[in-house]
Structures are given as structure tokens and as C-alpha cells.
């Protein structure tokens, strides 16, 4: 589930995973097309909300909570949210800006964690810039401990 630049990042990152990834472009945030979102989540059993805004206190985090509440029984794992770092403003330095704002770079690795059958032939740690390490470690721990499967 994505909107804004997140749509472009998701489309670029999922080029090789078209049969395993379904992208829901929200187009509008109000009115929110909840039926389409919930239908997709119930079909795929997983959800990653991608946004270009800082994640803390964001619409994306609120949307993740809504999806978690409405589709809890249908999910194989927690709804994850990927967005920019929580900073007061976008840095003027281009290197810091690239570090702050998410891009398509970590998404293939995240998709591979959601869909283990398409594991990358490289180490995910080599692709992730420093700010994504906590997010990556959380996903790795979830994928290795439960493989995003619901308890029997």
C-alpha cells in the first residue's frame, strides 16, 4: 500500500516480483478506498505501507494501524511501515538527504523477506544504508523466527 513517491519506489522495486507483489496505489487519501486495501491484504496475507514522509505520527503509521485492526485474522505477520527518517526538515546536504528519504534500494530486500522463495543472491546488509538497519533487523528477526506464518 503506497502513495506519492512510494508508488514509484514500489513499482521499480517489484519489477521482477510481479506475480508475488500486489501494489495498491491510494491515489487519494480522502476518501480512502478501504475496501480495495482490505481486499488486497486479505488476498496476500501481508502488508507493507510505503511513504516518503517521516513515519512517526504519520498518515502511513495510522493506515498501518487501521489495516492491522481490520485484517488482523487474515495477516501472516505485522503490517510494516517504511518511510523517511524522523527529522525536523529535509537536509540540504545531498548525502544526508539520500540517507533520510527512502528509495527503491531497500525494497527488493524487504520484498524478499516477505516472499522467501525469491531470496536475493546477495547479503541484504550490504544494500541497506545505516538508518534502515533497525528496520532490517526487525524484519530479519520476524522472518527467521516465524516466516510470517500465523500460529496454528
Amino acid at each position: 500500500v503506497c502513495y506519492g513517491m512510494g508508488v514509484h519506489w514500489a513499482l521499480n522495486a517489484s519489477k521482477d516480483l510481479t506475480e508475488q507483489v500486489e501494489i495498491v496505489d491510494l491515489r487519494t487519501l480522502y476518501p480512502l478506498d478501504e475496501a480495495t486495501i482490505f481486499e488486497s491484504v486479505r488476498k496476500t496475507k501481508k502488508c507493507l505501507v510505503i511513504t516518503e514522509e517521516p513515519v512517526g505520527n504519520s498518515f502511513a503509521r495510522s493506515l498501518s494501524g487501521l489495516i492491522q485492526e481490520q485484517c488482523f485474522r487474515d495477516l501472516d505477520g505485522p503490517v510494516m511501515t517504511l518511510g523517511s527518517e524522523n527529522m525536523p526538515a529535509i537536509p540540504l546536504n545531498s548525502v544526508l538527504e539520500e540517507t533520510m528519504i527512502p528509495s527503491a534500494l531497500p525494497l527488493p530486500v524487504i520484498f524478499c523477506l516477505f516472499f522467501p522463495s525469491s531470496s536475493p543472491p546477495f547479503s541484504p546488509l550490504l544494500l541497506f544504508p545505516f538508518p534502515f538497519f533497525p528496520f532490517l533487523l526487525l524484519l530479519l528477526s520476524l522472518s527467521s523466527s516465524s516466516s510470517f506464518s500465523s500460529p496454528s
Side-chain angles (χ1 to χ4, degrees):
V1 178
C2 48
Y3 54 95
M5 281 299 297
V7 175
H8 301 287
W9 296 328
L11 288 171
N12 289 334
S14 64
K15 280 188 254 187
D16 299 330
L17 302 170
T18 54
E19 294 178 17
Q20 297 175 312
V21 175
E22 181 172 300
I23 297 173
V24 177
D25 178 1
L26 294 182
R27 303 270 180 186
T28 63
L29 302 182
Y30 187 82
L32 182 63
D33 189 2
E34 293 179 3
T36 300
I37 295 169
F38 300 155
E39 179 185 332
S40 175
V41 170
R42 288 185 176 112
K43 183 170 79 174
T44 60
K45 308 275 189 233
K46 295 169 180 52
C47 183
L48 174 65
V49 179
I50 304 169
T51 181
E52 62 189 284
E53 65 185 323
V55 175
N57 299 320
S58 67
F59 173 78
R61 182 65 52 89
S62 176
L63 179 60
S64 294
L66 177 67
I67 294 168
Q68 188 77 26
E69 287 174 4
Q70 297 298 317
C71 302
F72 181 76
R73 296 183 192 279
D74 302 305
L75 289 165
D76 285 345
V79 177
M80 304 303 290
T81 307
L82 177 64
S84 66
E85 291 296 309
N86 292 317
M87 299 179 94
I90 296 176
L92 297 176
N93 181 305
S94 61
V95 174
L96 293 176
E97 180 182 354
E98 288 176 16
T99 303
M100 178 199 167
I101 299 175
S103 66
L105 180 64
L107 293 180
V109 177
I110 293 170
F111 288 155
C112 290
L113 291 173
F114 268 65
F115 305 98
S117 63
S118 58
S119 297
F122 46 78
S123 169
L125 294 175
L126 297 176
L127 287 182
F128 275 75
F130 180 75
F132 291 106
F133 277 152
F135 186 76
L136 172 66
L137 294 177
L138 172 66
L139 284 175
L140 287 174
S141 67
L142 289 172
S143 67
S144 64
S145 65
S146 65
S147 297
F148 288 108
S149 61
S150 56
S152 304

